[in-house]
Amino acid sequence: GERLAHDTLEALGRASSDDLCRRELRVAFDGEPGVDEGGVRRELFELVAPQLFDPTFSMFVPTEADAALYFNPHCTWYLAEYDRVGVFCGLAFAHGVPLPAARLPTVAFKKLLRWRRREPSPRETLPELIEDLAEVDPLLARGLRTLLAFEPRDAVEDVYQRAFVYGDAPLCEDGEHRPVTGRSRRAFARLVCEAVLHKSVQRQFDAFANGFWRTAAKDAFLDLLQPEDFRDCCRGVCTDLAHFDWTALRAVARYDGWPTDDPDAAGHPVVAAFWDAVLDLDYRASQNLLKFVTGSKTPPLGGLGALKPPEHAPFRIQRMSSDSDYLPTAHVCFHTLLLPDYDPPSKLKPLLHRAIKECEGFGLR
């Protein structure tokens, strides 16, 4: 609902440090009798994250690069909420739930790793800074590269007629009266990068990072993790249909209750009809099916073939009953899909499509 994000942040704000560091977070929705063995928790993260990272919430603003988001430098009235959003993301990371809605660029995850390791900000090379800037403002990064490459060098001041100012703020002491010249352009470019990436969002980022690392995420071994890998762990890597490798999932799936001579039941007509139907799904329907069974639209790190012990509950297809016209159902917490023994098996495909169109909420009968 509309208040779900607000109520979640309120609950996180009341949580103690011990609560945030527990290895197992359990969630209950008012009015829904779901038993949280992981599925309800994933549902919460899936529902709330898009609200928290919605630009209309004002905490994160769109960048010019690949629909990414970055901290809003003008949002100074939500500092406590930045901390709580950090807690929310830290809990998701600690529980292995990717948040595709957290579309922060790689530089944000680089900063987050440094904050956790208490590393002083290194003196990055200027090309590295501009590369990071390109993730947030590619047009500005391109302009700085053009400035740095401009020739003749002695004509920079006359052609650009710029002072050490970005926006309305001086970049250094007396910056309004310091011209950008061929000799000083590298210093100017560095100060612009640092202003956009770090100084302008320092309070917002520090609050977010403090919240993130107050959770069980702080116990994760990340010393060898690169920022790109950390980003993929937090956001997931599912961007198109290619990431839904149903063949890999089929290879590790388990089956219960199917009357067949086939020891793994993969040859049962209804089971075979299910896999045939799955292979025809488009990207949106693939997301919906995965959410229907596991509570998350995003495959785990390692792909669908990683849905197996010990990291995850195995993906199971269980016989629910003899032939009927009932829709398929699921035990989300246990990654178990329940299918009637449809006769003929061709009944499965339209009923499966109908079932996965609306797959939010938990109920026990």
Side-chain angles (χ1 to χ4, degrees):
E2 294 180 0
R3 289 190 55 84
L4 185 57
H6 177 270
D7 291 347
T8 300
L9 293 186
E10 286 289 316
L12 294 177
R14 295 191 301 268
S16 68
S17 296
D18 289 342
D19 289 336
L20 297 177
C21 290
R22 288 179 180 172
R23 299 305 302 172
E24 285 295 329
L25 172 72
R26 296 190 182 276
V27 174
F29 289 113
D30 286 344
E32 294 193 8
V35 177
D36 189 12
E37 294 294 337
V40 186
R41 178 173 62 228
R42 288 191 294 274
E43 176 87 352
L44 176 72
F45 287 126
E46 287 271 352
L47 292 175
V48 173
Q51 297 182 43
L52 297 181
F53 287 91
D54 189 325
T56 60
F57 207 58
S58 298
M59 298 178 67
F60 302 91
V61 292
T63 71
E64 300 294 332
D66 299 327
L69 301 169
Y70 204 56
F71 300 91
N72 183 355
H74 306 295
C75 183
T76 57
W77 57 91
Y78 273 156
L79 293 181
E81 282 72 13
Y82 276 109
D83 179 274
R84 295 172 188 178
V85 173
V87 168
F88 179 86
C89 294
L91 288 172
F93 172 73
H95 288 84
V97 180
L99 301 177
R103 305 190 311 273
L104 297 172
T106 306
V107 63
F109 295 96
K110 182 190 297 187
K111 287 163 61 70
L112 202 53
L113 284 176
R114 287 175 182 162
W115 203 96
R116 187 248 194 176
R117 297 166 180 168
R118 301 295 180 182
E119 295 177 353
S121 296
R123 181 75 171 176
E124 293 180 291
T125 66
L126 186 53
E128 288 174 331
L129 277 173
I130 295 179
E131 184 176 348
D132 288 343
L133 178 66
E135 292 190 301
V136 177
D137 193 333
L139 293 178
L140 178 58
R142 187 184 310 154
L144 292 178
R145 291 188 177 113
T146 300
L147 167 65
L148 294 173
F150 184 84
E151 294 293 343
R153 178 179 176 179
D154 293 341
V156 167
E157 182 176 358
D158 291 335
V159 171
Y160 279 86
Q161 297 185 10
R162 289 292 304 267
F164 271 65
V165 174
Y166 180 72
D168 297 326
L171 294 169
C172 59
E173 186 176 352
D174 202 32
E176 306 96 319
H177 304 107
R178 181 181 176 186
V180 176
T181 67
R183 293 177 60 87
S184 66
R185 58 184 170 180
R186 292 182 61 83
F188 171 78
R190 175 176 290 277
L191 289 172
V192 169
C193 292
E194 291 174 348
V196 174
L197 295 174
H198 307 306
K199 292 180 180 178
S200 65
V201 297
Q202 193 67 54
R203 287 188 295 171
Q204 294 84 349
F205 174 78
D206 282 347
F208 177 87
N210 181 69
F212 191 101
W213 297 119
R214 282 196 296 117
T215 70
K218 66 183 178 64
D219 298 323
F221 181 76
L222 303 174
D223 290 350
L224 302 180
L225 204 62
Q226 296 299 309
E228 294 80 6
D229 300 323
F230 185 41
R231 175 203 63 205
D232 291 346
C233 289
C234 292
R235 288 175 27 181
V237 293
C238 180
T239 56
D240 55 40
L241 188 58
H243 289 103
F244 287 92
D245 187 354
W246 297 110
T247 302
L249 181 61
R250 186 175 188 171
V252 298
R254 300 183 183 181
Y255 306 92
D256 292 326
W258 296 97
T260 176
D261 295 331
D262 188 341
D264 65 2
H268 189 280
V270 173
V271 173
F274 168 76
W275 289 115
D276 288 343
V278 163
L279 292 175
D280 287 337
L281 296 178
D282 61 18
Y283 176 67
R284 181 69 65 183
S286 294
Q287 286 185 309
N288 288 341
L289 175 59
L290 191 62
K291 182 179 177 63
F292 183 72
V293 183
T294 71
S296 174
K297 292 182 178 180
T298 306
L301 201 64
L304 292 180
L307 283 174
K308 60 183 180 180
E311 290 83 7
H312 303 278
F315 185 92
R316 294 182 180 276
I317 302 176
Q318 182 175 322
R319 183 179 185 270
M320 180 172 66
S321 66
S322 58
D323 177 45
S324 77
D325 293 325
Y326 289 145
L327 298 177
T329 60
H331 292 318
V332 174
C333 302
F334 304 104
H335 295 179
T336 300
L337 176 66
L338 305 174
L339 297 177
D341 196 345
Y342 294 116
D343 187 13
S346 58
K347 292 168 60 175
L348 178 143
K349 186 172 183 177
L351 293 174
L352 179 67
H353 278 267
R354 183 178 169 191
I356 65 177
K357 281 185 178 179
E358 295 184 7
C359 56
E360 293 179 1
F362 290 80
L364 301 178
R365 296 290 189 269

